């Protein structure tokens, strides 16, 4: 846990990899995933790099595998995922792999083309079969004498060429069913109604050999007279992409042809089945290993990509890589390098050499499955600057707590805890399932956050004494009505009073009415009191202010550790101290006043209790002779005036004094002057002791035990090199100061959202109970249980949908805002960049992006 | 054999969850109504007459409390049945899964 408070200490290191061992070394580094490679040839384009050929070969293999995978998916064969992590193949095995994939791809392609040709053939034959069948009907109808009779009477009985039938030509074919209407209209228009079209649908859909889709088609036959019409009709058919088939004229020939076609279809079917079987076998064999192949190829590709980032030594004997790596993991990196060298059989070891640099290292926070969710919350706002205080460990507690303040309900908290417990306890099984649902994986990633949120909600629910908007009376209420009727104790109620008034208020000053506070949380009697909201609002508002002030003061205190760590004494004296004094003397005082008021007034004196809000406003106005608002304690005027003056005095400290001091320091340093002795610049202090080496030459070796000093010197150098612009610094500081002072006020007010959301949540759950559950409970008959069972179902669904998910999301969002804005802007700059180690992990998970 | 399976694995799991919740919550409500919890007075269907025409106060109100409590217990029983059915469905779903694979 210790490493969570700050990001890891990083170092830039040079790796000298022997060219024959480089591949193995990089693959070992990828397995441990601890180093981030820097691009050493940024101005060389992708095609001019050394290993571009290998990358291209890997890409080609990847493409082939993707083709195979697509075919496997198309055939609905499940891809076996054993979860194993195959070793990276040696570069010499690449040829074998390539040959395997080449063979597989060719085989598949051949099968596919054959199958397609066969299917096309099959389709043609089937269509022909249908044509022969259907046209047979048309011809039968034509030759039916009764029909002939009828039609001839329709034409004209006195037609001279009766009995000598016309020689009609015809074409038969198949066309897509949806094209029929336009086809018919076109024929009619172009041939001026001189053709006769008959068509019939084919019932069973046919398979399109190229796309594999099922299409519906129709058989048509067109009768016409003369060659010109024939040509026209044929052209139209072509245009509509109808397939025409030769159709014999005599029934005898047609019958023979049909028999032949049927026989061929049967043969073809057999061949098709065999082809399909063969394809299935090939694909099934491939499905078993395709995942392993994918991982191997992608690992190889990643390695060559990484090798492309390295610099090639002049002698071509070794590769030089520059990497960022955490100092604490240097040993494991060394070990990985040794393993890589051994594996490759090289005798010359690879060397890791730490370098000194002025560049800002990347930010790397080590996380585990519990802390990663919280680190993600912080990172979503901004990656922390290098070695800055990391808010994540505090967020682990404050985030669920602030959430729970807004979500305080024992019942809802229990439900949320149960759901999160399910996710946590079954995490290994759920993780193996690899659910692709985005919503689910988001919730699953935050399972520990949800678990803590649920547990904290149970706690706040007990404090609010709320369980599905009902209170639990475990210890017995501290309030009693009986003494109100007892005249000896001062009670003045009679039964007539009860008759006459709808609402009565208990008087806690009468002995025995209020026997003392409830042991834990809010007294359950408030749940049925009509002035419940007045009471709870006052409590929750004060609570939000107190929590907010503590949270913000904590944030400001954390900035102290940043200033201490980065050795900026000026920021402590003229930044941190005025800031914390400003906030403590105004809002810290307000929090103390709240506690003071709680402790110093009881039932008998509460009539005279002054309003805190008015008192606080009067504090700023220096108005102490308000007759309606009595002072809280003696000497209030002196203390409050002093606090306001101290707070106001802090403003110029931050606003002006800091700028002036910065300017003075700058001038002081400038006047000293610097001299450059052979690559080493030395600043002359006023005395010999203060002289220090300010800048080393870039290549000079630093001693390892003084990293802080080097950091410091870089900071000083950067400071010197940049022109000290008084105007800029003054404006910057002014903006910061104004933002902080106004922010204190608005942020304190912003914490009132804790009250507002908890009020909204409590009211919403009360509405849900009285609108839904109440219906089920309040039936006078014994048949009510049936209604109750149904109503409970709706109550449960609505509770989950509205109160758990919707309200939970809104409370989550507000807790997030309180952390990002109100808490983190007190100390967290978040201007770093993330450490992105070279790792095979994402390849293993099946996610792959370049 | 006609299959008794009428809902999928997700529906059955949902049924189990809701019935566990229902049994616990309704049984608790039943206990609290039987114990005449004051906080639940708003959910007891009493009228003005129940208070006025009570010869032996507050027996009328207590009677109503008991009746609502019994309703709760029976509803909890219904959810026990729902849970049992859902459990059977889960079992059947599992068996079918084995049979397919």
């Amino acid at each position: 846990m210790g490493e969570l408070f700050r990001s890891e200490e990083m170092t830039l290191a040079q790796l000298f990899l022997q060219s024959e061992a480089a591949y193995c070394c990089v693959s070992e580094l990828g397995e441990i995933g601890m180093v981030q490679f820097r691009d050493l040839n940024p101005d060389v384009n992708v095609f001019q790099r050394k290993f571009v050929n290998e990358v291209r070969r890997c890409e080609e293999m990847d493409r082939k595998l993707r083709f195979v995978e697509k075919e496997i998916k198309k055939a609905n064969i499940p891809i076996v995922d054993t979860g194993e992590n195959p070793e990276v193949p040696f570069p010499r095995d690449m040829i074998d792999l390539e040959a395997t994939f080449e063979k597989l791809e060719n085989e598949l392609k051949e099968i596919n083309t054959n199958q397609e040709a066969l299917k096309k053939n099959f389709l043609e034959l089937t269509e022909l079969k249908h044509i022969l069948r259907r046209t047979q009907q048309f011809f039968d109808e034509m030759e039916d004498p009764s029909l002939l009779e009828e039609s001839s009477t329709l034409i004209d009985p006195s037609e001279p060429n009766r009995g000598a039938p016309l020689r009609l030509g015809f074409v038969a074919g198949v066309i897509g069913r949806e094209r029929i209407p336009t086809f018919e209209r076109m024929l009619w228009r172009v041939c001026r109604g001189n053709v006769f079209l008959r068509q019939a649908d084919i019932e069973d859909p046919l398979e399109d050999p190229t796309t594999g889709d099922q299409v519906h088609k129709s058989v048509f036959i067109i009768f016409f007279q003369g060659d010109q019409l024939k040509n026209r009709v044929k052209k139209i058919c072509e245009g509509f992409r109808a397939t025409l088939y030769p159709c014999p004229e005599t029934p005898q020939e047609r019958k023979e042809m049909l028999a032949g076609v049927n026989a061929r279809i049967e043969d073809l079917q057999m061949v098709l089945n065999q082809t399909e079987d063969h394809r299935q076998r090939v694909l099934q064999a491939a499905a078993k290993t395709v995942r392993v192949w994918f991982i191997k190829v992608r690992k190889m590709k990643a390695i060559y990509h990484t090798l492309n980032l390295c610099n090639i030594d002049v002698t071509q004997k070794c590769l030089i890589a520059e990497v960022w790596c955490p100092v604490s993991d240097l040993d494991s990196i060394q070990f990985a390098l040794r393993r890589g060298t051994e594996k490759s059989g090289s005798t010359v070891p690879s060397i890791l050499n730490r370098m000194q640099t002025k560049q800002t290292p990347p930010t790397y926070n080590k996380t585990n499955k519990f802390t990663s969710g919280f680190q993600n919350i912080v990172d979503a706002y901004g990656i922390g600057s290098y070695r800055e205080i990391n808010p994540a460990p505090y967020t682990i507690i404050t985030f669920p707590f602030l959430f729970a303040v807004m979500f305080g309900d024992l019942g809802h908290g229990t439900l949320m805890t149960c759901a999160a417990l399910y996710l946590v306890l079954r995490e290994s099984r759920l993780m193996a399932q690899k659910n692709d649902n985005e919503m689910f994986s988001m919730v699953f990633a935050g399972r520990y956050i949800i678990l803590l949120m649920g547990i904290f909600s149970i706690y706040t629910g007990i404090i609010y004494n709320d369980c599905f908007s009902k209170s639990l009376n475990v210890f017995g209420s501290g309030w009693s009505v009986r003494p109100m009727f007892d005249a000896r104790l001062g009670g003045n109620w009679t039964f007539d009073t009860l008759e006459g008034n709808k609402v009565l208020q208990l008087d806690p000053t009468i002995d025995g009415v209020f026997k003392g506070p409830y042991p834990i949380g809010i007294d359950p009697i408030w749940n049925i009191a009509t002035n419940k909201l007045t009471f709870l609002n006052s409590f929750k508002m004060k609570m939000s202010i107190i929590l907010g002030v503590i949270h913000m003061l904590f944030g400001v205190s954390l900035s102290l550790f940043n200033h201490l760590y980065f050795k900026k004494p000026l920021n402590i004296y003229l930044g941190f101290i005025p800031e914390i004094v400003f906030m403590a003397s105004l809002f810290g005082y307000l929090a103390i006043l709240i506690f003071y008021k709680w402790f110093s007034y009881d039932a008998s004196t509460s009539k005279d209790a002054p309003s805190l809000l008015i008192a606080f406003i009067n504090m700023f106005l220096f108005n102490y002779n308000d007759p309606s608002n009595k002072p809280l304690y003696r000497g209030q005027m002196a203390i409050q005036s002093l606090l306001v003056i101290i707070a106001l005095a802090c403003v110029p400290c931050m606003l002006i004094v800091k700028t002036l001091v910065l300017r003075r320091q700058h001038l002081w340093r400038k006047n000293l002057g610097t001299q450059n002795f052979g690559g080493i610049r030395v600043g002359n202090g006023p005395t010999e002791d203060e002289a220090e080496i300010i800048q080393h030459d870039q290549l000079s070796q630093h001693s390892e035990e003084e990293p802080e000093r080097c950091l410091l010197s870089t900071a000083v150098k950067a400071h010197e090199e940049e022109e000290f612009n008084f105007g800029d610094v003054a404006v910057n500081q002014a903006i910061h100061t104004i933002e902080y002072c106004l922010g204190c006020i608005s942020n304190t007010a912003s914490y009132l959202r804790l009250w507002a959301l908890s009020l909204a949540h409590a009211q919403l759950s009360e509405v849900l109970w009285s609108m839904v559950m109440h219906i089920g409970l309040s039936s006078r008959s014994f048949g009510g249980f049936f209604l109750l069972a149904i109503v409970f179902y709706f109550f449960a669904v609505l509770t989950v949908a509205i109160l758990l998910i919707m309200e939970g999301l809104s409370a989550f969002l507000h807790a997030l805002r309180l952390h990002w804005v109100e808490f983190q802007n007190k100390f967290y700059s978040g201007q770093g960049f993330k450490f992105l180690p070279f790792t095979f992990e994402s390849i293993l998970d099946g996610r792959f992006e370049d | 054999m006609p299959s008794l399976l009428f809902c999928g694995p997700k529906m059955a799991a949902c049924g189990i969850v809701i019935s566990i919740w229902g049994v616990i919550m309704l049984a608790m409500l039943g206990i609290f109504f039987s114990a005449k919890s004051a906080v639940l007075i708003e959910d007891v269907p009493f009228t003005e007459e129940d208070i006025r025409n009570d010869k032996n106060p507050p027996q009328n109100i207590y009677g109503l409390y008991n009746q609502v409590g019994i309703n709760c217990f029976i509803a909890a029983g219904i959810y026990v049945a729902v849970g049992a059915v859902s459990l059977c469905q889960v079992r059947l779903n599992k068996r079918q899964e084995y049979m397919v694979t």
Side-chain angles (χ1 to χ4, degrees), chain A residues 415 468-473 499 524-525 527-528 766 769-770 773-774 776-786 788-797 799-800 804, chain B residues 11 14 18-19 21-23 25-26 28-29 32-33 37-47 50 52 63-64 66-76 78-79:
Chain A
L415 289 177
F468 297 109
S469 86
K470 294 289 164 197
S471 296
L472 298 175
N473 187 2
E499 294 283 339
I525 201 71
N527 195 268
I528 45 173
E766 200 174 319
W769 186 281
S770 60
M773 206 58 182
H774 182 73
L777 289 171
S778 60
S779 70
R780 289 178 72 100
S781 66
F782 277 98
F785 60 83
F786 190 65
L788 181 58
I790 294 169
V791 160
F792 176 79
Y793 171 77
F794 285 101
F795 173 77
V797 169
T799 299
V800 171
L804 283 185
Chain B
M11 174 96 172
C14 188
I18 222 168
S19 54
W21 178 5
V23 169
M25 186 162 162
L26 289 170
M28 297 273 263
L29 272 176
F32 293 143
F33 273 111
S37 166
V39 177
L40 295 170
I41 186 87
E42 284 162 3
D43 294 314
V44 176
F46 66 89
T47 54
D50 289 321
R52 303 279 171 220
L64 283 171
N66 281 334
Q67 189 211 317
V68 176
I70 288 165
N71 274 349
C72 284
F73 282 127
I74 298 174
I78 291 177
Y79 273 100

Side-chain angles (χ1 to χ4, degrees), chain A residues 5 81 148 271 323 381 598 824:
Chain A
F5 289 104
D81 184 356
L148 196 71
V271 178
V323 295
Y381 175 75
W598 274 339
Q824 291 185 4

Side-chain angles (χ1 to χ4, degrees), chain A residues 559-560 562-579 653-666 669 719 724 729 733 736:
Chain A
S559 76
L560 172 67
N562 266 341
H563 300 323
L564 283 176
Y565 183 83
F566 292 116
K567 298 220 163 69
K568 290 182 179 161
L570 196 65
N571 280 359
I572 298 177
Y573 297 127
L574 295 171
F576 164 71
I577 289 178
E579 275 177 9
C653 267
M654 294 185 268
L655 191 65
I656 302 166
V657 178
K658 193 178 167 192
T659 324
L660 291 179
V661 171
L662 277 175
R663 179 157 177 269
R664 215 188 88 83
Q665 279 186 348
H666 169 71
R669 204 174 287 123
H719 193 85
F724 184 81
V729 174
Q733 195 58 33
H736 177 78

